[in-house]
Amino acid sequence: MIPLIGITPDGGAPEGQPTEGEYTVRINYADAVRAAGGCPVLLPWQTENAEMLATRCDGLVITGGTPGISTKQGRTEFELALIRTALAVGRPVLGICNGMQLLGRILGASFVESISDEVTGALDHVPAPLPTNTAHPVILTPGTRLQVLAGSVDGQVNSLHRQAITGTGTFSVAALAPDGVIEAIEGPGWFIGVQWHPEYSLTALDKAIFADFVAACRGERS
């Protein structure tokens, strides 16, 4: 079976041209899903249909936004509704960057608006305009799904975020940056949130995350 994977887009219209709005998503999100054996589909913002969409899809990728820029309210409301339904009915969720922050928000974490202002000794989490190279190490929590996928307790990740989550909730912290910023969370069933961008497929772990996610969407993981 080829699982149907819903991907959330960004969107908007040019100033003064409300009829010219577009949904946009980087192709590498879809390519990463396809490479792992899934069929990617774009999910326009329809909060009133979020429960139906989350249920009909075999899994969800909640995508990232633009660093330092708040996502549109319509998008955020839609993505929160998707995540809540997916968690309730047991659909796998992969939250990337902004998507991880929304997962954390639902599951009880607090929000860090500016890492550089609020984290002592913070790394530069936006070291380049595009996350096309690995940027810093992460420490993976032993026994977590991510650590098992990595086969190691450390790894290298790219980075493109000014915001983060902190605190505790109904999730496990699966990875930390050297400055203590939470880089990944996970929980029972199958949900993983990562603060980096594995859709760029820079490392074996990036590819393993998508492979395990799509396998879960086929019902092959728990």
Side-chain angles (χ1 to χ4, degrees):
M1 182 189 77
I2 299 177
L4 196 67
I5 311 298
I7 299 178
T8 60
D10 200 4
E15 186 174 354
Q17 301 179 47
T19 62
E20 305 308 302
E22 295 179 340
Y23 287 115
T24 57
V25 66
R26 274 186 286 101
I27 291 172
N28 58 6
Y29 283 108
D31 285 348
V33 168
R34 290 177 61 199
C39 177
V41 294
L42 193 71
L43 299 181
W45 307 341
Q46 301 176 47
T47 302
E48 71 279 11
N49 291 323
E51 183 175 348
M52 176 190 70
L53 291 170
T55 302
R56 290 192 179 183
C57 289
D58 297 303
L60 299 173
V61 176
I62 311 298
T63 63
T66 303
I69 297 177
S70 298
T71 56
K72 287 80 171 176
Q73 188 62 29
R75 173 183 173 180
T76 297
E77 291 173 357
F78 175 56
E79 289 177 324
L80 288 171
L82 283 176
I83 294 169
R84 289 190 180 100
T85 296
L87 294 177
V89 302
R91 294 291 186 273
V93 179
L94 174 57
I96 295 174
C97 200
N98 171 70
M100 169 178 148
Q101 293 163 13
L102 293 181
L103 265 170
R105 173 175 163 181
I106 286 173
L107 297 172
S110 300
F111 186 63
V112 176
E113 183 67 42
S114 173
I115 294 171
S116 60
D117 292 338
E118 299 180 48
V119 176
T120 302
L123 298 172
D124 183 357
H125 287 269
V126 189
L130 297 174
T132 50
N133 294 290
T134 56
H136 64 75
V138 290
I139 300 95
L140 302 167
T141 305
T144 58
R145 184 182 296 274
L146 274 180
Q147 188 272 314
V148 172
L149 289 175
S152 173
V153 294
D154 53 31
Q156 291 287 329
V157 300
N158 59 12
S159 189
L160 193 71
H161 63 107
R162 292 189 172 90
Q163 301 164 325
I165 62 169
T166 189
T168 59
T170 53
F171 56 83
S172 299
V173 174
L176 293 171
D179 58 7
V181 167
I182 296 174
E183 287 283 331
I185 61 174
E186 60 181 64
W190 202 107
F191 76 78
I192 287 179
V194 292
Q195 198 59 77
W196 69 90
H197 286 268
E199 71 275 13
Y200 282 83
S201 300
L202 298 179
T203 68
L205 177 57
D206 289 344
K207 296 172 185 177
I209 289 169
F210 274 94
D212 200 64
F213 168 63
V214 172
C217 295
R218 285 195 298 263
E220 298 173 6
R221 299 286 188 275
S222 62

